[in-house]
Amino acid sequence: MKTWHEIRRFPLAVRLLLVNQLGVNTGFYLLIPYLATHLTENLGLSAAVVGVVLGVRNLSQQGLFIIGGSASDRLGARGVIIAGCALRTAGFALFALGDGLPVLLAASVLSGLAGALFNPAVRAYLAQEAGEHKAEAFALFNVFATTGALIGPLLGSALLLVDFRTSALTAAGIFAVLTVAQALVLPARGAEPSGGGLLGDWREVLGNRAFLAFACAMVGMFTLENQLYLLLPAGARDATGWDGAAGLVFLIGTVANLALQLRITRSLKSLGSRGRWIAVGLTVMGLAFLPPALLPGLGPVLAGALLLYTGIMIAQPFVMELIPGFGRPGLTGTYFGIFYVVSGIAAALGNAAVGWAMDNAEQGAAWLPWTCCALCGLTCALGVAWLQRRGALPASPAPVAAAPVGEGSRA
């Protein structure tokens, strides 16, 4: 109940962005996890062609985050969010209505570009609207995102009993509703003049060595977070021989987020610097992979999943809170955009490395992928701790006296 009470204390724009993220993840995970199966089994495409279609979507999103971030700074986050959701509506509708390769590639490009637009814009807008309460806002954002990531696959599996087109049209409908809601409810916020050209903005952000070092140190968070969809579900299935065991990983995470995320963030916010808690969160994320490495069975896998979610709950809100502090307010979107370009590259390389380790695990080295993930988390935790020790991270905001969260949160 405290979580829902906290939500009501934020401005209407923040509440809409939270619901928006629930809808975004519900619509995304309703469709994307089942897309490869549709392309191969229903449309008869080869594995190579399927890889191209999925790769185009991923590249369109991860490679263009910087465009979405810069557009948010220069044009205003509201319009970019609305445009992104509208494009995602069109992209998912194309997946439902088209079977030819050109249509599928167009759908992939549109749906990927959509994510590149609204992901950094939403975070920039949320940071602006939340004011002194960014950490709590991003904690709630994480709760809604995790809940959507659980609801989406469950709803998608049910809709697939009808057919894939029904799933795709439902996902497109969710994004259409979000587009209309944002257009009606989100207040416009004027963009601050940059004072320079687009390339100048990028040079300014890329020339911020402290920010780039932080972004590189955070590759562990995104690499390990992606194991919620790769290594941990595979470990649950291997331990039980039951495909449905993978769903327990997400169920545990959703329950933990609903019960603990806001409490963890509010408790830690006044206890030490943000960098300290980010390092602690990364350490917990790394340690999460030790129980499955040391003990067989489903229990250690689920214990590892709970630890991983706990580490994410500790670190992620403070990571999102710190990013705007690396530069001037007029470049918040660009900072988020470049941060997510780095994270996208990290997730791709990290998944490739973990996949290689999983292949070798089948040859008798079952401990290898788990150990690699543990070392990744601990190494990145040391990197953040080093940056904190050197004073390279933005200063943590001073504790704020208890007051309604909505006060002073409007830009």
Side-chain angles (χ1 to χ4, degrees), residues 129-166:
E129 287 290 309
E132 298 171 333
H133 301 278
K134 292 182 181 67
E136 290 94 337
F138 281 112
L140 289 169
F141 192 80
N142 191 26
V143 171
F144 278 77
T146 303
T147 304
L150 175 68
I151 294 172
L154 295 176
L155 181 58
S157 62
L159 290 172
L160 281 175
L161 296 176
V162 181
D163 59 20
F164 178 82
R165 294 180 192 278
T166 301

Short mmCIF file of all heavy atoms in Angstrom, two decimals, residues 129-166:
data_model
loop_
_atom_site.label_atom_id
_atom_site.label_comp_id
_atom_site.label_asym_id
_atom_site.label_seq_id
_atom_site.Cartn_x
_atom_site.Cartn_y
_atom_site.Cartn_z
N GLU A 129 10.82 15.97 -14.26
CA GLU A 129 9.57 16.12 -13.50
C GLU A 129 9.73 15.72 -12.03
O GLU A 129 9.04 16.27 -11.16
CB GLU A 129 8.47 15.27 -14.14
CG GLU A 129 7.94 15.81 -15.44
CD GLU A 129 7.13 17.08 -15.25
OE1 GLU A 129 6.22 17.09 -14.40
OE2 GLU A 129 7.42 18.06 -15.95
N ALA A 130 10.61 14.75 -11.76
CA ALA A 130 10.73 14.23 -10.39
C ALA A 130 11.51 15.16 -9.48
O ALA A 130 11.42 15.04 -8.25
CB ALA A 130 11.37 12.85 -10.40
N GLY A 131 12.30 16.06 -10.04
CA GLY A 131 13.02 17.02 -9.22
C GLY A 131 13.96 16.37 -8.23
O GLY A 131 14.83 15.59 -8.59
N GLU A 132 13.75 16.67 -6.93
CA GLU A 132 14.64 16.15 -5.89
C GLU A 132 14.36 14.68 -5.57
O GLU A 132 15.07 14.08 -4.76
CB GLU A 132 14.47 16.99 -4.61
CG GLU A 132 14.86 18.45 -4.78
CD GLU A 132 14.48 19.28 -3.58
OE1 GLU A 132 13.51 18.90 -2.89
OE2 GLU A 132 15.14 20.30 -3.32
N HIS A 133 13.34 14.13 -6.17
CA HIS A 133 12.94 12.76 -5.83
C HIS A 133 13.16 11.80 -7.01
O HIS A 133 12.37 10.90 -7.25
CB HIS A 133 11.49 12.74 -5.38
CG HIS A 133 11.24 13.61 -4.19
ND1 HIS A 133 11.49 13.21 -2.90
CD2 HIS A 133 10.79 14.89 -4.10
CE1 HIS A 133 11.18 14.19 -2.06
NE2 HIS A 133 10.77 15.22 -2.78
N LYS A 134 14.27 12.03 -7.72
CA LYS A 134 14.57 11.19 -8.88
C LYS A 134 14.74 9.73 -8.49
O LYS A 134 14.28 8.83 -9.19
CB LYS A 134 15.85 11.68 -9.57
CG LYS A 134 15.76 13.03 -10.25
CD LYS A 134 17.07 13.36 -10.92
CE LYS A 134 17.02 14.74 -11.59
NZ LYS A 134 16.91 15.82 -10.60
N ALA A 135 15.44 9.47 -7.38
CA ALA A 135 15.70 8.09 -6.99
C ALA A 135 14.39 7.32 -6.76
O ALA A 135 14.22 6.19 -7.23
CB ALA A 135 16.57 8.04 -5.73
N GLU A 136 13.45 7.93 -6.03
CA GLU A 136 12.17 7.27 -5.81
C GLU A 136 11.40 7.07 -7.12
O GLU A 136 10.77 6.04 -7.33
CB GLU A 136 11.32 8.09 -4.84
CG GLU A 136 11.84 8.10 -3.41
CD GLU A 136 12.73 9.30 -3.14
OE1 GLU A 136 13.30 9.87 -4.10
OE2 GLU A 136 12.87 9.67 -1.97
N ALA A 137 11.46 8.09 -7.99
CA ALA A 137 10.75 7.98 -9.27
C ALA A 137 11.31 6.83 -10.11
O ALA A 137 10.56 6.04 -10.69
CB ALA A 137 10.85 9.29 -10.04
N PHE A 138 12.63 6.72 -10.16
CA PHE A 138 13.23 5.64 -10.94
C PHE A 138 13.05 4.28 -10.26
O PHE A 138 13.01 3.25 -10.92
CB PHE A 138 14.70 5.93 -11.22
CG PHE A 138 14.91 6.91 -12.34
CD1 PHE A 138 15.42 8.18 -12.09
CD2 PHE A 138 14.57 6.57 -13.64
CE1 PHE A 138 15.60 9.09 -13.13
CE2 PHE A 138 14.75 7.48 -14.69
CZ PHE A 138 15.27 8.74 -14.43
N ALA A 139 12.93 4.28 -8.93
CA ALA A 139 12.61 3.03 -8.24
C ALA A 139 11.23 2.54 -8.65
O ALA A 139 11.03 1.35 -8.97
CB ALA A 139 12.68 3.24 -6.72
N LEU A 140 10.25 3.43 -8.65
CA LEU A 140 8.91 3.07 -9.09
C LEU A 140 8.90 2.69 -10.57
O LEU A 140 8.18 1.78 -10.98
CB LEU A 140 7.95 4.23 -8.84
CG LEU A 140 7.61 4.51 -7.37
CD1 LEU A 140 6.88 5.84 -7.23
CD2 LEU A 140 6.77 3.38 -6.78
N PHE A 141 9.69 3.38 -11.35
CA PHE A 141 9.83 3.06 -12.77
C PHE A 141 10.29 1.62 -12.95
O PHE A 141 9.79 0.88 -13.80
CB PHE A 141 10.84 4.03 -13.40
CG PHE A 141 10.88 4.03 -14.89
CD1 PHE A 141 9.93 4.74 -15.62
CD2 PHE A 141 11.87 3.36 -15.58
CE1 PHE A 141 9.98 4.78 -17.01
CE2 PHE A 141 11.92 3.38 -16.96
CZ PHE A 141 10.98 4.10 -17.68
N ASN A 142 11.23 1.20 -12.11
CA ASN A 142 11.74 -0.18 -12.15
C ASN A 142 10.64 -1.17 -11.78
O ASN A 142 10.52 -2.25 -12.38
CB ASN A 142 12.93 -0.31 -11.20
CG ASN A 142 13.68 -1.61 -11.39
OD1 ASN A 142 13.67 -2.21 -12.45
ND2 ASN A 142 14.36 -2.04 -10.33
N VAL A 143 9.81 -0.81 -10.79
CA VAL A 143 8.70 -1.68 -10.38
C VAL A 143 7.74 -1.90 -11.55
O VAL A 143 7.36 -3.04 -11.87
CB VAL A 143 7.95 -1.08 -9.17
CG1 VAL A 143 6.67 -1.87 -8.90
CG2 VAL A 143 8.84 -1.09 -7.94
N PHE A 144 7.34 -0.82 -12.19
CA PHE A 144 6.38 -0.92 -13.29
C PHE A 144 7.00 -1.66 -14.48
O PHE A 144 6.31 -2.45 -15.15
CB PHE A 144 5.91 0.47 -13.71
CG PHE A 144 4.81 1.01 -12.84
CD1 PHE A 144 5.09 1.53 -11.59
CD2 PHE A 144 3.49 1.00 -13.26
CE1 PHE A 144 4.08 2.03 -10.78
CE2 PHE A 144 2.47 1.49 -12.46
CZ PHE A 144 2.76 2.00 -11.22
N ALA A 145 8.28 -1.43 -14.75
CA ALA A 145 8.93 -2.11 -15.87
C ALA A 145 9.01 -3.62 -15.63
O ALA A 145 8.73 -4.42 -16.53
CB ALA A 145 10.34 -1.54 -16.07
N THR A 146 9.39 -4.01 -14.41
CA THR A 146 9.49 -5.43 -14.09
C THR A 146 8.13 -6.11 -14.14
O THR A 146 8.00 -7.24 -14.62
CB THR A 146 10.12 -5.60 -12.69
OG1 THR A 146 11.39 -4.96 -12.67
CG2 THR A 146 10.29 -7.07 -12.35
N THR A 147 7.10 -5.41 -13.65
CA THR A 147 5.75 -5.98 -13.70
C THR A 147 5.31 -6.20 -15.14
O THR A 147 4.73 -7.24 -15.49
CB THR A 147 4.76 -5.06 -12.97
OG1 THR A 147 5.22 -4.84 -11.62
CG2 THR A 147 3.37 -5.67 -12.93
N GLY A 148 5.58 -5.23 -16.01
CA GLY A 148 5.23 -5.39 -17.42
C GLY A 148 5.98 -6.53 -18.07
O GLY A 148 5.42 -7.24 -18.92
N ALA A 149 7.24 -6.72 -17.67
CA ALA A 149 8.04 -7.81 -18.24
C ALA A 149 7.50 -9.18 -17.82
O ALA A 149 7.80 -10.18 -18.48
CB ALA A 149 9.50 -7.67 -17.81
N LEU A 150 6.75 -9.24 -16.72
CA LEU A 150 6.11 -10.49 -16.32
C LEU A 150 4.76 -10.66 -17.01
O LEU A 150 4.44 -11.73 -17.54
CB LEU A 150 5.91 -10.54 -14.80
CG LEU A 150 5.14 -11.75 -14.28
CD1 LEU A 150 5.93 -13.03 -14.47
CD2 LEU A 150 4.78 -11.59 -12.81
N ILE A 151 3.96 -9.60 -17.03
CA ILE A 151 2.63 -9.69 -17.62
C ILE A 151 2.70 -9.98 -19.12
O ILE A 151 1.92 -10.77 -19.65
CB ILE A 151 1.85 -8.38 -17.36
CG1 ILE A 151 1.59 -8.20 -15.87
CG2 ILE A 151 0.52 -8.38 -18.13
CD1 ILE A 151 0.99 -6.85 -15.53
N GLY A 152 3.64 -9.34 -19.81
CA GLY A 152 3.73 -9.47 -21.26
C GLY A 152 3.83 -10.90 -21.76
O GLY A 152 3.01 -11.33 -22.57
N PRO A 153 4.83 -11.67 -21.30
CA PRO A 153 4.94 -13.05 -21.78
C PRO A 153 3.73 -13.91 -21.42
O PRO A 153 3.33 -14.78 -22.20
CB PRO A 153 6.21 -13.56 -21.09
CG PRO A 153 7.00 -12.33 -20.79
CD PRO A 153 5.99 -11.27 -20.49
N LEU A 154 3.15 -13.68 -20.24
CA LEU A 154 1.97 -14.46 -19.85
C LEU A 154 0.80 -14.16 -20.78
O LEU A 154 0.11 -15.08 -21.26
CB LEU A 154 1.59 -14.14 -18.41
CG LEU A 154 2.60 -14.54 -17.32
CD1 LEU A 154 2.13 -14.08 -15.96
CD2 LEU A 154 2.83 -16.05 -17.33
N LEU A 155 0.57 -12.89 -21.06
CA LEU A 155 -0.50 -12.50 -21.97
C LEU A 155 -0.20 -12.98 -23.39
O LEU A 155 -1.09 -13.46 -24.10
CB LEU A 155 -0.68 -10.98 -21.95
CG LEU A 155 -1.79 -10.40 -22.82
CD1 LEU A 155 -3.14 -10.99 -22.46
CD2 LEU A 155 -1.81 -8.88 -22.69
N GLY A 156 1.07 -12.88 -23.78
CA GLY A 156 1.45 -13.32 -25.12
C GLY A 156 1.24 -14.80 -25.33
O GLY A 156 0.75 -15.22 -26.38
N SER A 157 1.60 -15.60 -24.34
CA SER A 157 1.42 -17.05 -24.48
C SER A 157 -0.06 -17.41 -24.57
O SER A 157 -0.44 -18.35 -25.28
CB SER A 157 2.08 -17.78 -23.30
OG SER A 157 1.48 -17.40 -22.06
N ALA A 158 -0.91 -16.65 -23.86
CA ALA A 158 -2.35 -16.90 -23.95
C ALA A 158 -2.90 -16.51 -25.32
O ALA A 158 -3.69 -17.24 -25.93
CB ALA A 158 -3.08 -16.14 -22.85
N LEU A 159 -2.46 -15.37 -25.84
CA LEU A 159 -2.95 -14.91 -27.14
C LEU A 159 -2.46 -15.78 -28.28
O LEU A 159 -3.11 -15.90 -29.32
CB LEU A 159 -2.53 -13.46 -27.37
CG LEU A 159 -3.23 -12.42 -26.49
CD1 LEU A 159 -2.59 -11.04 -26.67
CD2 LEU A 159 -4.71 -12.35 -26.83
N LEU A 160 -1.30 -16.41 -28.10
CA LEU A 160 -0.79 -17.29 -29.14
C LEU A 160 -1.67 -18.52 -29.33
O LEU A 160 -1.58 -19.20 -30.36
CB LEU A 160 0.64 -17.73 -28.81
CG LEU A 160 1.74 -16.70 -29.11
CD1 LEU A 160 3.08 -17.21 -28.63
CD2 LEU A 160 1.80 -16.39 -30.60
N LEU A 161 -2.51 -18.83 -28.34
CA LEU A 161 -3.46 -19.92 -28.52
C LEU A 161 -4.45 -19.58 -29.63
O LEU A 161 -5.06 -20.49 -30.22
CB LEU A 161 -4.21 -20.18 -27.21
CG LEU A 161 -3.35 -20.66 -26.04
CD1 LEU A 161 -4.19 -20.78 -24.77
CD2 LEU A 161 -2.67 -21.99 -26.36
N VAL A 162 -4.63 -18.28 -29.90
CA VAL A 162 -5.44 -17.85 -31.05
C VAL A 162 -4.56 -17.86 -32.28
O VAL A 162 -4.66 -18.73 -33.14
CB VAL A 162 -6.06 -16.46 -30.80
CG1 VAL A 162 -6.93 -16.05 -31.98
CG2 VAL A 162 -6.85 -16.45 -29.51
N ASP A 163 -3.67 -16.89 -32.39
CA ASP A 163 -2.62 -16.89 -33.42
C ASP A 163 -1.69 -15.71 -33.16
O ASP A 163 -1.94 -14.85 -32.31
CB ASP A 163 -3.19 -16.83 -34.85
CG ASP A 163 -4.05 -15.61 -35.11
OD1 ASP A 163 -3.93 -14.62 -34.36
OD2 ASP A 163 -4.85 -15.64 -36.06
N PHE A 164 -0.58 -15.68 -33.92
CA PHE A 164 0.43 -14.65 -33.71
C PHE A 164 -0.12 -13.27 -34.07
O PHE A 164 0.23 -12.27 -33.43
CB PHE A 164 1.67 -14.96 -34.55
CG PHE A 164 2.74 -13.91 -34.44
CD1 PHE A 164 3.61 -13.90 -33.38
CD2 PHE A 164 2.85 -12.90 -35.41
CE1 PHE A 164 4.59 -12.91 -33.26
CE2 PHE A 164 3.82 -11.92 -35.30
CZ PHE A 164 4.69 -11.92 -34.23
N ARG A 165 -0.94 -13.20 -35.11
CA ARG A 165 -1.46 -11.90 -35.54
C ARG A 165 -2.27 -11.24 -34.42
O ARG A 165 -2.22 -10.02 -34.24
CB ARG A 165 -2.31 -12.06 -36.80
CG ARG A 165 -1.53 -12.51 -38.01
CD ARG A 165 -2.42 -12.65 -39.23
NE ARG A 165 -1.74 -13.34 -40.30
CZ ARG A 165 -0.90 -12.77 -41.16
NH1 ARG A 165 -0.64 -11.47 -41.03
NH2 ARG A 165 -0.32 -13.46 -42.11
N THR A 166 -3.01 -12.04 -33.69
CA THR A 166 -3.77 -11.49 -32.57
C THR A 166 -2.84 -10.89 -31.52
O THR A 166 -3.10 -9.81 -30.98
CB THR A 166 -4.64 -12.59 -31.92
OG1 THR A 166 -5.52 -13.13 -32.92
CG2 THR A 166 -5.45 -12.05 -30.76
#
